[in-house]
Amino acid sequence: MNYDESLVTAEIAATVATELLEKEHPAGTYHIEELFKLDAFIKQFDNSSFI
């Protein structure tokens, strides 16, 4: 399988931005993996047309 890495990066960035804007998270500075579970991204990829 050949994936366009820039599309995967864009999908992750869009999912993170949406989650940060729509849900409440603790104040502070975090790495993405400290705030989100992989399941949130897997669901997004399942609905995506590029994978």
Side-chain angles (χ1 to χ4, degrees), residues 1-4 7-8 11 44-51:
M1 293 184 178
N2 188 13
Y3 301 119
D4 184 341
L7 290 176
V8 174
E11 192 75 35
Q44 187 68 30
F45 288 141
D46 286 345
N47 296 327
S48 178
S49 62
F50 68 87
I51 293 184

Side-chain angles (χ1 to χ4, degrees), residues 2-35:
N2 188 13
Y3 301 119
D4 184 341
E5 200 171 315
S6 64
L7 290 176
V8 174
T9 300
E11 192 75 35
I12 294 289
T15 301
V16 168
T18 300
E19 290 287 322
L20 288 173
L21 291 170
E22 293 181 352
K23 298 183 179 159
E24 202 167 306
H25 297 282
T29 304
Y30 299 92
H31 290 263
I32 291 173
E33 66 272 11
E34 294 176 307
L35 291 176

